[in-house]
């Protein structure tokens, strides 16, 4: 099936001068090289939206009428990636790159169930605009003319803090159900209202998320919770019936609330955060429940704990695949809890030197401040043990 969406042919053009300090130097360099080679080129998407809202963009995306092959030829340090969507990454460091896409046509190939199969037909700027998800995400910035180009009403939506879908929400969510969790994330990040149409469609179509691969959901989950508004995102995912398609073993409790707030505070203070910690919190109750069940038959405490960890993680990665290094960390945090609770004198030094001690300790602290207030003595013990270890070092 082929879907073609209409777009307004005459866009709104608004002069805007973004401070050079806010614009990414590498993105500007990429734009400049493509422009000088004679192509049309713009900054697009989240970066334009965030710049208009005076927020610091997370990343800068570039879009052009040059084909991926033409872009690749312009940059020595670049590589072509993707199958469903072909893109070019212009590399500036091992993990530092600017993504360059070629305008896509409004034509997408969808399967019988409406899911996009292929989206590699190149098109014009106005066609590219209408295949993006929300109006606020379809704004283009012409760096040379210092002008924002708007085909879909994104500028107005930014002004009134509203999130509207480009086209019909029902069909656009069917094409790509991940847009439902993106809608929730943007609404919390930007403090913007979801349109009534979007709200209604998410509630009705939440189960479409089942069709998304666990690898893709992992990428999205990181974006959902590694931020200052993770608690609100969590609550909205639950309200809209989406959470069970990401974490079916998770049910809200005071520990999860505390950990989300804690994550926000750490990000605000520029402290490091790892997704392992939050995922360990989300799945802790499930691990405990499994442990109680297994322990009825398994006499070894250690083996029962290990088995409970494995079973809960196996269930989780069916929904959202977690890389091995994360599941190892999650298990380490969990396995450390009974050891921290026991406070065996012989184990103190070993635990203090454990590479995951700090995470295990932080986990214990948050448990004591939420679901396990009886652990206060244990927390005090480990706080003192760290102070003593520090004094002995000096
Ligand atoms: P942020 O980077 O802050 O998470 P973003 O809007 O830049 O937000 P990205 O995932 O970086 O999000 O995507 C860049 C742009 O690509 C979006 O602004 C949007 O125009 C388009 N886009 C991304 N994902 C989709 C999707 N699933 N469907 C349609 N368009 C999408
Ligand atoms: Mg982005």
């Amino acid at each position: 099936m082929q879907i073609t969406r209409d777009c307004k042919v005459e866009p709104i053009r608004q002069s805007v001068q973004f401070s050079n300090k806010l614009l990414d130097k590498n993105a500007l360099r990429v734009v400049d090289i493509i422009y000088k080679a004679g192509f049309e080129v713009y900054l697009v998407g989240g970066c334009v939206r965030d710049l208009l809202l005076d927020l610091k963009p997370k990343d800068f995306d570039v879009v052009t009428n040059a084909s991926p092959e033409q872009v690749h030829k312009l940059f020595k340090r670049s590589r072509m990636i993707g199958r469903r969507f072909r893109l070019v990454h212009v590399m500036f460091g091992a993990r530092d790159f600017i993504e360059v896409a070629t305008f896509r046509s409004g034509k997408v190939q969808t399967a019988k169930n409406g899911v996009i199969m292929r989206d590699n037909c190149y098109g014009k700027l106005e066609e590219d605009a209408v295949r993006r998800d929300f109006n606020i995400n379809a704004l283009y910035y012409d760096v040379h003319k210092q002008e924002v180009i708007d085909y879909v009403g994104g500028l107005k939506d930014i002004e009134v803090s509203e999130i509207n879908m480009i086209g019909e929400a029902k069909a656009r969510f069917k094409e790509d159900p991940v847009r439902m969790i993106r809608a929730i994330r943007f609404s919390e990040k930007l403090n913007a209202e979801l349109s009534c149409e979007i709200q209604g469609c998410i509630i009705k179509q939440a189960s479409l998320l089942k069709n998304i691969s666990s690898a893709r959901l992992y990428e999205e989950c990181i974006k959902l919770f590694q931020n200052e508004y993770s608690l609100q995102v969590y609550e909205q995912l639950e309200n809209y019936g989406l959470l069970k398609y990401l974490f079916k073993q998770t049910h809200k409790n005071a520990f999860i609330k505390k950990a989300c707030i804690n994550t926000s505070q750490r990000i605000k203070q520029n402290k490091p955060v790892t997704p392992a910690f939050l995922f360990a919190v989300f799945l802790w109750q499930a691990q405990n429940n499994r442990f109680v069940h297994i322990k009825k038959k398994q006499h070894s405490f250690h083996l029962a704990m290990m088995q409970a960890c494995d079973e809960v993680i196996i269930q989780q990665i069916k929904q959202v695949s977690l890389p091995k290094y994360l599941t190892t960390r999650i298990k380490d945090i969990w396995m450390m809890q009974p050891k921290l609770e026991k406070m065996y004198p012989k184990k103190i030094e070993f635990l203090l030197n454990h590479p995951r001690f700090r995470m295990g300790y932080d986990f214990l602290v948050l448990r004591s401040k939420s679901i396990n207030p009886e652990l206060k003595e244990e927390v005090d013990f480990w706080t003192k043990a760290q102070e003593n270890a520090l004094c002995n070092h000096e």
Side-chain angles (χ1 to χ4, degrees), residues 165-174 195 197-198 201 205:
M165 185 65 105
I166 299 173
E168 235 183 79
K170 188 175 169 196
R172 302 296 320 275
F173 284 144
K174 234 180 179 182
S195 73
E197 190 199 7
I198 290 182
C201 284
Q205 293 174 283

Side-chain angles (χ1 to χ4, degrees), residues 46-47 58-61:
C47 64
K58 225 169 57 193
D59 45 37
F60 283 76
D61 292 316

Side-chain angles (χ1 to χ4, degrees), residues 6-66:
D6 292 329
C7 54
K8 291 174 204 159
V9 179
E10 268 316 303
I12 295 171
R13 291 174 189 273
Q14 186 174 303
S15 293
V16 186
Q17 219 174 326
F18 294 127
S19 146
N20 258 358
K21 261 191 252 156
L22 291 174
L23 295 170
D24 183 89
K25 285 201 179 59
N26 292 339
L28 290 181
R29 218 178 299 165
V30 170
V31 165
D32 214 44
I33 290 173
I34 299 177
Y35 178 78
K36 285 187 177 139
F39 297 105
E40 236 184 294
V41 59
Y42 305 94
L43 294 178
V44 64
C47 64
V48 183
R49 174 198 70 213
D50 290 352
L51 287 167
L52 286 165
L53 288 165
D54 271 334
L55 298 171
K56 189 176 177 328
K58 225 169 57 193
D59 45 37
F60 283 76
D61 292 316
V62 172
V63 72
T64 173
N65 64 349

Side-chain angles (χ1 to χ4, degrees), residues 290-309:
R290 268 326 283 159
F291 170 76
V292 170
H293 185 76
I294 295 165
K295 189 71 188 67
K296 285 180 194 155
K297 289 185 208 145
Q298 170 59 264
H299 294 303
S300 156
F301 182 92
H302 182 76
L303 290 180
M305 271 297 278
M306 294 277 276
Q307 193 180 330
C309 293

Side-chain angles (χ1 to χ4, degrees), residues 33 67-76 78 80 88:
I33 290 173
S67 69
E69 290 77 11
Q70 287 169 321
V71 175
H72 181 49
K73 267 192 202 148
L74 289 174
F75 300 93
K76 242 194 216 155
S78 68
M80 287 205 272
V88 177

Side-chain angles (χ1 to χ4, degrees), residues 239-250:
N239 293 342
Y240 279 96
L242 291 163
L243 192 76
K244 57 178 176 286
Y245 299 106
L246 302 171
F247 294 93
K248 69 173 175 207
Q249 303 174 94
T250 299

